[in-house]
Amino acid sequence: MNYQILKIQIADRIAVVTISRPAALNALNTDFFKEFNHFLDDLEPRQDVKALVITGEGKAFVAGADIAEMVHMNSDEGYAFSTFGQRTFDRLELIKIPVIAAVNGYALGGGCELAMACDFRIASKLAKFGQPEMNLGMIPGYAATQRLSRITGLGNALYMILTADTISAEDALRIGLVQKVTEPESLMEEVMKLAAKIAGNGSQAVPVSKKLIREGISMDFQKASETEAIEFGKQFDNEATKEGMKAFLEKRKPNWN
Ligand code: CAA
């Protein structure tokens, strides 16, 4: 596909996707979702990519869903726009490899929702987070009403969505919406170090842990724990697990290859 909005770089087991529509602060439109789904189609079967980083070009991560596209919609089109975005973000959330949002600037509305569909968020000091939909007389449409409370708790989600206030990276860190705040100029360096660290961890244990955490949150606790025990048992047929434990006992670094 000839990408117009996404810039994709894949090197050293890490894929970096930069959303590049800076004239509209990287607002998410239908073309973005088509391109992003195409990218996921290519990425999902790949065994050589162990982590994905998503960032934005210019002063925004993503300033929301594209208001210029939404302004012309009727209710059926609004529903389709919402479900297309939701399905895409669900797909991103469940992809096997870990996904890091490198939040370089505004992450508003659909941008905050995209960041929340990533596994965790590292933010530049300049980043700003918010669900400002109320200012447009609308509600969020890419599952902020569900993910924000799961990530930050009910009070913070209700506060952010009902006030439409934008919060700083430091406040986002305080409520658990981001995991780390960096100097703007070192954001990508720190994110790439983190991605490389995860990509270098015992290969099968990373996707299995992600799947258990992601799927377990909407399962009954006992059932989710039982699923963990089944996966825990399966590891003992795995060379990587044996190598990890042997290396510890032999006081050396594990060789995952
Ligand atoms: N959709 C479409 N275009 C957008 C946009 C968006 N979400 N956000 C910014 N832009 C465009 C602006 O219209 C402007 O275009 P022009 O130069 O052609 O006029 C350009 O990007 C630059 O924006 P500003 O001039 O406004 O930049 P600023 O630095 O003064 O302000 C901002 C930055 C505070 C982020 C401001 O742009 C803003 O408030 N944007 C809208 C944020 C928003 O409401 N997001 C939620 C959208 S609804 C949603 O996301 C629903 C959902 O959950 C699915």
Side-chain angles (χ1 to χ4, degrees), residues 21-25 27 59 63-68 70 81 106 108-111 113 131-133 136 138-142:
R21 252 189 105 208
L25 302 187
K59 69 176 180 184
D66 191 329
I67 301 166
M70 288 189 294
F81 190 70
Y106 292 111
L108 302 177
E113 291 168 305
Q131 295 295 152
E133 287 87 349
L136 302 168
M138 59 163 56
I139 63 168
Y142 300 149

mmCIF file of all heavy atoms in Angstrom, residues 21-25 27 59 63-68 70 81 106 108-111 113 131-133 136 138-142, ligand 1:
data_model
loop_
_atom_site.group_PDB
_atom_site.id
_atom_site.type_symbol
_atom_site.label_atom_id
_atom_site.label_comp_id
_atom_site.label_asym_id
_atom_site.label_seq_id
_atom_site.Cartn_x
_atom_site.Cartn_y
_atom_site.Cartn_z
ATOM 1 N N ARG A 21 -0.007 13.824 9.747
ATOM 2 C CA ARG A 21 -0.939 14.757 9.085
ATOM 3 C C ARG A 21 -0.847 16.043 9.888
ATOM 4 O O ARG A 21 -1.843 16.513 10.449
ATOM 5 C CB ARG A 21 -2.370 14.219 9.230
ATOM 6 C CG ARG A 21 -3.008 13.670 8.009
ATOM 7 C CD ARG A 21 -4.477 13.407 8.318
ATOM 8 N NE ARG A 21 -5.349 14.379 7.733
ATOM 9 C CZ ARG A 21 -6.538 14.715 8.239
ATOM 10 N NH1 ARG A 21 -6.974 14.185 9.381
ATOM 11 N NH2 ARG A 21 -7.304 15.586 7.629
ATOM 12 N N PRO A 22 0.369 16.594 9.991
ATOM 13 C CA PRO A 22 0.580 17.676 10.958
ATOM 14 C C PRO A 22 -0.294 18.911 10.714
ATOM 15 O O PRO A 22 -0.625 19.610 11.675
ATOM 16 C CB PRO A 22 2.071 18.013 10.821
ATOM 17 C CG PRO A 22 2.540 17.324 9.600
ATOM 18 C CD PRO A 22 1.609 16.220 9.290
ATOM 19 N N ALA A 23 -0.708 19.155 9.470
ATOM 20 C CA ALA A 23 -1.542 20.345 9.213
ATOM 21 C C ALA A 23 -2.879 20.244 9.938
ATOM 22 O O ALA A 23 -3.517 21.269 10.228
ATOM 23 C CB ALA A 23 -1.755 20.517 7.711
ATOM 24 N N ALA A 24 -3.322 19.022 10.242
ATOM 25 C CA ALA A 24 -4.575 18.838 10.996
ATOM 26 C C ALA A 24 -4.264 18.248 12.373
ATOM 27 O O ALA A 24 -5.103 17.592 12.982
ATOM 28 C CB ALA A 24 -5.525 17.931 10.227
ATOM 29 N N LEU A 25 -3.048 18.488 12.870
ATOM 30 C CA LEU A 25 -2.598 17.948 14.167
ATOM 31 C C LEU A 25 -2.855 16.433 14.267
ATOM 32 O O LEU A 25 -3.229 15.922 15.308
ATOM 33 C CB LEU A 25 -3.232 18.702 15.331
ATOM 34 C CG LEU A 25 -2.966 20.227 15.368
ATOM 35 C CD1 LEU A 25 -3.493 20.830 16.661
ATOM 36 C CD2 LEU A 25 -1.499 20.549 15.197
ATOM 37 N N ALA A 27 -5.177 14.570 13.166
ATOM 38 C CA ALA A 27 -6.555 14.134 13.457
ATOM 39 C C ALA A 27 -6.865 12.846 12.691
ATOM 40 O O ALA A 27 -6.441 12.658 11.545
ATOM 41 C CB ALA A 27 -7.534 15.231 13.079
ATOM 42 N N LYS A 59 3.580 18.948 16.558
ATOM 43 C CA LYS A 59 3.299 19.297 17.958
ATOM 44 C C LYS A 59 2.181 18.468 18.580
ATOM 45 O O LYS A 59 1.849 18.669 19.744
ATOM 46 C CB LYS A 59 2.998 20.790 18.091
ATOM 47 C CG LYS A 59 1.683 21.256 17.483
ATOM 48 C CD LYS A 59 1.487 22.743 17.779
ATOM 49 C CE LYS A 59 0.183 23.243 17.180
ATOM 50 N NZ LYS A 59 -0.010 24.665 17.353
ATOM 51 N N ALA A 63 -4.716 15.019 17.758
ATOM 52 C CA ALA A 63 -5.623 15.983 18.415
ATOM 53 C C ALA A 63 -7.085 15.553 18.343
ATOM 54 O O ALA A 63 -7.972 16.382 18.527
ATOM 55 C CB ALA A 63 -5.440 17.366 17.807
ATOM 56 N N GLY A 64 -7.328 14.267 18.064
ATOM 57 C CA GLY A 64 -8.711 13.780 18.109
ATOM 58 C C GLY A 64 -9.168 13.194 16.802
ATOM 59 O O GLY A 64 -8.411 13.131 15.827
ATOM 60 N N ALA A 65 -10.427 12.753 16.806
ATOM 61 C CA ALA A 65 -11.040 12.335 15.545
ATOM 62 C C ALA A 65 -11.198 13.591 14.692
ATOM 63 O O ALA A 65 -11.253 14.721 15.209
ATOM 64 C CB ALA A 65 -12.396 11.701 15.821
ATOM 65 N N ASP A 66 -11.274 13.381 13.373
ATOM 66 C CA ASP A 66 -11.284 14.523 12.456
ATOM 67 C C ASP A 66 -12.651 15.227 12.480
ATOM 68 O O ASP A 66 -13.637 14.697 11.955
ATOM 69 C CB ASP A 66 -10.950 14.023 11.042
ATOM 70 C CG ASP A 66 -10.671 15.187 10.100
ATOM 71 O OD1 ASP A 66 -11.253 16.278 10.297
ATOM 72 O OD2 ASP A 66 -9.871 15.003 9.171
ATOM 73 N N ILE A 67 -12.659 16.406 13.073
ATOM 74 C CA ILE A 67 -13.918 17.150 13.240
ATOM 75 C C ILE A 67 -14.454 17.575 11.868
ATOM 76 O O ILE A 67 -15.664 17.564 11.637
ATOM 77 C CB ILE A 67 -13.702 18.362 14.174
ATOM 78 C CG1 ILE A 67 -13.207 17.870 15.551
ATOM 79 C CG2 ILE A 67 -14.994 19.170 14.337
ATOM 80 C CD1 ILE A 67 -12.640 18.969 16.452
ATOM 81 N N ALA A 68 -13.541 17.899 10.939
ATOM 82 C CA ALA A 68 -13.979 18.328 9.602
ATOM 83 C C ALA A 68 -14.696 17.188 8.870
ATOM 84 O O ALA A 68 -15.579 17.429 8.040
ATOM 85 C CB ALA A 68 -12.774 18.803 8.793
ATOM 86 N N MET A 70 -16.291 14.636 10.609
ATOM 87 C CA MET A 70 -17.495 14.285 11.399
ATOM 88 C C MET A 70 -18.632 15.282 11.218
ATOM 89 O O MET A 70 -19.802 14.913 11.347
ATOM 90 C CB MET A 70 -17.143 14.205 12.899
ATOM 91 C CG MET A 70 -16.319 13.002 13.275
ATOM 92 S SD MET A 70 -16.174 12.823 15.069
ATOM 93 C CE MET A 70 -15.222 14.268 15.510
ATOM 94 N N PHE A 81 -18.478 5.310 11.892
ATOM 95 C CA PHE A 81 -17.174 5.954 12.182
ATOM 96 C C PHE A 81 -16.671 5.499 13.554
ATOM 97 O O PHE A 81 -15.489 5.211 13.739
ATOM 98 C CB PHE A 81 -17.378 7.471 12.153
ATOM 99 C CG PHE A 81 -16.119 8.297 12.184
ATOM 100 C CD1 PHE A 81 -15.246 8.333 11.094
ATOM 101 C CD2 PHE A 81 -15.817 9.097 13.283
ATOM 102 C CE1 PHE A 81 -14.097 9.121 11.117
ATOM 103 C CE2 PHE A 81 -14.679 9.888 13.311
ATOM 104 C CZ PHE A 81 -13.809 9.906 12.232
ATOM 105 N N TYR A 106 -0.157 16.956 21.909
ATOM 106 C CA TYR A 106 -1.576 16.781 22.235
ATOM 107 C C TYR A 106 -2.049 15.337 22.003
ATOM 108 O O TYR A 106 -1.848 14.785 20.917
ATOM 109 C CB TYR A 106 -2.438 17.675 21.336
ATOM 110 C CG TYR A 106 -2.281 19.153 21.603
ATOM 111 C CD1 TYR A 106 -1.668 19.982 20.658
ATOM 112 C CD2 TYR A 106 -2.761 19.724 22.774
ATOM 113 C CE1 TYR A 106 -1.528 21.349 20.889
ATOM 114 C CE2 TYR A 106 -2.620 21.086 23.008
ATOM 115 C CZ TYR A 106 -1.995 21.885 22.069
ATOM 116 O OH TYR A 106 -1.864 23.220 22.302
ATOM 117 N N LEU A 108 -5.625 14.202 22.456
ATOM 118 C CA LEU A 108 -6.968 14.653 22.826
ATOM 119 C C LEU A 108 -8.027 13.788 22.141
ATOM 120 O O LEU A 108 -7.825 13.340 20.998
ATOM 121 C CB LEU A 108 -7.165 16.117 22.407
ATOM 122 C CG LEU A 108 -6.161 17.118 23.004
ATOM 123 C CD1 LEU A 108 -6.422 18.524 22.463
ATOM 124 C CD2 LEU A 108 -6.209 17.110 24.528
ATOM 125 N N GLY A 109 -9.148 13.597 22.793
ATOM 126 C CA GLY A 109 -10.246 12.851 22.185
ATOM 127 C C GLY A 109 -9.756 11.519 21.645
ATOM 128 O O GLY A 109 -9.165 10.706 22.373
ATOM 129 N N GLY A 110 -9.961 11.304 20.339
ATOM 130 C CA GLY A 110 -9.515 10.051 19.705
ATOM 131 C C GLY A 110 -8.022 9.800 19.877
ATOM 132 O O GLY A 110 -7.577 8.649 19.820
ATOM 133 N N GLY A 111 -7.237 10.847 20.103
ATOM 134 C CA GLY A 111 -5.787 10.690 20.314
ATOM 135 C C GLY A 111 -5.503 10.085 21.679
ATOM 136 O O GLY A 111 -4.622 9.220 21.820
ATOM 137 N N GLU A 113 -7.657 8.276 23.180
ATOM 138 C CA GLU A 113 -8.218 6.913 23.055
ATOM 139 C C GLU A 113 -7.228 5.976 22.350
ATOM 140 O O GLU A 113 -7.095 4.807 22.731
ATOM 141 C CB GLU A 113 -9.557 6.982 22.305
ATOM 142 C CG GLU A 113 -10.637 7.659 23.149
ATOM 143 C CD GLU A 113 -11.890 8.015 22.378
ATOM 144 O OE1 GLU A 113 -11.765 8.728 21.342
ATOM 145 O OE2 GLU A 113 -12.985 7.602 22.778
ATOM 146 N N GLN A 131 -10.139 14.501 27.113
ATOM 147 C CA GLN A 131 -11.297 14.039 26.327
ATOM 148 C C GLN A 131 -12.209 15.260 26.203
ATOM 149 O O GLN A 131 -13.155 15.418 26.966
ATOM 150 C CB GLN A 131 -12.004 12.878 27.056
ATOM 151 C CG GLN A 131 -11.186 11.612 27.190
ATOM 152 C CD GLN A 131 -10.844 10.904 25.892
ATOM 153 O OE1 GLN A 131 -9.850 10.232 25.802
ATOM 154 N NE2 GLN A 131 -11.653 11.060 24.855
ATOM 155 N N PRO A 132 -11.894 16.135 25.227
ATOM 156 C CA PRO A 132 -12.605 17.418 25.157
ATOM 157 C C PRO A 132 -13.919 17.370 24.375
ATOM 158 O O PRO A 132 -14.457 18.420 23.987
ATOM 159 C CB PRO A 132 -11.585 18.321 24.442
ATOM 160 C CG PRO A 132 -10.835 17.383 23.554
ATOM 161 C CD PRO A 132 -10.828 16.039 24.220
ATOM 162 N N GLU A 133 -14.466 16.161 24.169
ATOM 163 C CA GLU A 133 -15.667 16.030 23.325
ATOM 164 C C GLU A 133 -16.832 16.899 23.794
ATOM 165 O O GLU A 133 -17.598 17.409 22.977
ATOM 166 C CB GLU A 133 -16.105 14.558 23.240
ATOM 167 C CG GLU A 133 -15.191 13.685 22.377
ATOM 168 C CD GLU A 133 -14.009 13.086 23.134
ATOM 169 O OE1 GLU A 133 -13.753 13.490 24.288
ATOM 170 O OE2 GLU A 133 -13.318 12.230 22.550
ATOM 171 N N LEU A 136 -17.535 19.980 22.143
ATOM 172 C CA LEU A 136 -18.148 19.900 20.802
ATOM 173 C C LEU A 136 -19.599 19.432 20.911
ATOM 174 O O LEU A 136 -20.229 19.122 19.897
ATOM 175 C CB LEU A 136 -17.364 18.904 19.934
ATOM 176 C CG LEU A 136 -15.866 19.184 19.738
ATOM 177 C CD1 LEU A 136 -15.171 17.974 19.117
ATOM 178 C CD2 LEU A 136 -15.655 20.416 18.865
ATOM 179 N N MET A 138 -20.503 16.601 22.158
ATOM 180 C CA MET A 138 -20.588 15.162 21.840
ATOM 181 C C MET A 138 -19.909 14.332 22.917
ATOM 182 O O MET A 138 -19.304 14.886 23.839
ATOM 183 C CB MET A 138 -19.965 14.865 20.469
ATOM 184 C CG MET A 138 -18.518 15.241 20.328
ATOM 185 S SD MET A 138 -17.691 14.450 18.900
ATOM 186 C CE MET A 138 -18.696 14.920 17.546
ATOM 187 N N ILE A 139 -20.051 13.018 22.788
ATOM 188 C CA ILE A 139 -19.383 12.097 23.714
ATOM 189 C C ILE A 139 -18.199 11.445 22.982
ATOM 190 O O ILE A 139 -18.151 11.461 21.746
ATOM 191 C CB ILE A 139 -20.355 10.999 24.231
ATOM 192 C CG1 ILE A 139 -20.854 10.106 23.075
ATOM 193 C CG2 ILE A 139 -21.535 11.625 24.968
ATOM 194 C CD1 ILE A 139 -21.566 8.843 23.558
ATOM 195 N N PRO A 140 -17.274 10.839 23.725
ATOM 196 C CA PRO A 140 -16.188 10.107 23.052
ATOM 197 C C PRO A 140 -16.758 8.947 22.229
ATOM 198 O O PRO A 140 -17.807 8.391 22.586
ATOM 199 C CB PRO A 140 -15.346 9.567 24.213
ATOM 200 C CG PRO A 140 -15.696 10.405 25.395
ATOM 201 C CD PRO A 140 -17.129 10.803 25.202
ATOM 202 N N GLY A 141 -16.023 8.565 21.158
ATOM 203 C CA GLY A 141 -16.537 7.505 20.292
ATOM 204 C C GLY A 141 -15.606 6.335 20.076
ATOM 205 O O GLY A 141 -15.963 5.367 19.412
ATOM 206 N N TYR A 142 -14.371 6.425 20.615
ATOM 207 C CA TYR A 142 -13.446 5.299 20.438
ATOM 208 C C TYR A 142 -13.132 4.654 21.793
ATOM 209 O O TYR A 142 -11.988 4.351 22.116
ATOM 210 C CB TYR A 142 -12.145 5.742 19.760
ATOM 211 C CG TYR A 142 -12.295 6.336 18.384
ATOM 212 C CD1 TYR A 142 -11.405 7.315 17.938
ATOM 213 C CD2 TYR A 142 -13.296 5.935 17.511
ATOM 214 C CE1 TYR A 142 -11.518 7.871 16.672
ATOM 215 C CE2 TYR A 142 -13.425 6.492 16.248
ATOM 216 C CZ TYR A 142 -12.534 7.464 15.840
ATOM 217 O OH TYR A 142 -12.639 8.014 14.583
HETATM 218 N N1 CAA B 1 -10.040 17.535 13.700
HETATM 219 C C1 CAA B 1 -9.788 18.234 12.578
HETATM 220 N N2 CAA B 1 -8.884 19.240 12.499
HETATM 221 C C2 CAA B 1 -8.212 19.551 13.618
HETATM 222 C C3 CAA B 1 -8.429 18.874 14.834
HETATM 223 C C4 CAA B 1 -9.378 17.815 14.843
HETATM 224 N N3 CAA B 1 -9.619 17.078 15.933
HETATM 225 N N4 CAA B 1 -7.621 19.425 15.766
HETATM 226 C C5 CAA B 1 -6.940 20.406 15.150
HETATM 227 N N5 CAA B 1 -7.288 20.486 13.853
HETATM 228 C C6 CAA B 1 -6.812 21.409 12.841
HETATM 229 C C7 CAA B 1 -7.352 22.825 13.057
HETATM 230 O O1 CAA B 1 -8.644 22.945 12.519
HETATM 231 C C8 CAA B 1 -6.312 23.658 12.352
HETATM 232 O O2 CAA B 1 -6.554 23.594 10.971
HETATM 233 P P1 CAA B 1 -6.402 24.950 10.078
HETATM 234 O O3 CAA B 1 -4.966 25.379 10.215
HETATM 235 O O4 CAA B 1 -6.745 24.488 8.694
HETATM 236 O O5 CAA B 1 -7.332 25.961 10.664
HETATM 237 C C9 CAA B 1 -5.005 22.894 12.614
HETATM 238 O O6 CAA B 1 -5.407 21.574 12.980
HETATM 239 C C10 CAA B 1 -4.204 23.472 13.753
HETATM 240 O O7 CAA B 1 -5.062 23.561 14.881
HETATM 241 P P2 CAA B 1 -5.206 24.881 15.757
HETATM 242 O O8 CAA B 1 -5.004 26.101 14.921
HETATM 243 O O9 CAA B 1 -6.489 24.782 16.508
HETATM 244 O O10 CAA B 1 -3.945 24.711 16.735
HETATM 245 P P3 CAA B 1 -3.776 25.321 18.189
HETATM 246 O O11 CAA B 1 -2.343 25.054 18.559
HETATM 247 O O12 CAA B 1 -4.283 26.701 18.273
HETATM 248 O O13 CAA B 1 -4.722 24.406 19.122
HETATM 249 C C11 CAA B 1 -5.656 22.323 19.922
HETATM 250 C C12 CAA B 1 -4.421 23.058 19.331
HETATM 251 C C13 CAA B 1 -5.915 22.870 21.344
HETATM 252 C C14 CAA B 1 -5.313 20.856 19.963
HETATM 253 C C15 CAA B 1 -6.896 22.594 19.035
HETATM 254 O O14 CAA B 1 -6.543 22.328 17.700
HETATM 255 C C16 CAA B 1 -8.080 21.754 19.387
HETATM 256 O O15 CAA B 1 -8.763 22.059 20.352
HETATM 257 N N6 CAA B 1 -8.382 20.706 18.556
HETATM 258 C C17 CAA B 1 -9.558 19.898 18.718
HETATM 259 C C18 CAA B 1 -9.399 18.948 19.864
HETATM 260 C C19 CAA B 1 -10.671 18.106 20.033
HETATM 261 O O16 CAA B 1 -11.736 18.640 20.249
HETATM 262 N N7 CAA B 1 -10.527 16.790 19.936
HETATM 263 C C20 CAA B 1 -11.634 15.878 20.072
HETATM 264 C C21 CAA B 1 -12.234 15.592 18.738
HETATM 265 S S1 CAA B 1 -13.738 14.662 18.845
HETATM 266 C C22 CAA B 1 -13.266 13.050 19.086
HETATM 267 O O17 CAA B 1 -12.091 12.728 19.131
HETATM 268 C C23 CAA B 1 -14.406 12.093 19.198
HETATM 269 C C24 CAA B 1 -14.038 10.682 19.404
HETATM 270 O O18 CAA B 1 -13.731 10.254 20.504
HETATM 271 C C25 CAA B 1 -14.161 9.731 18.308
#
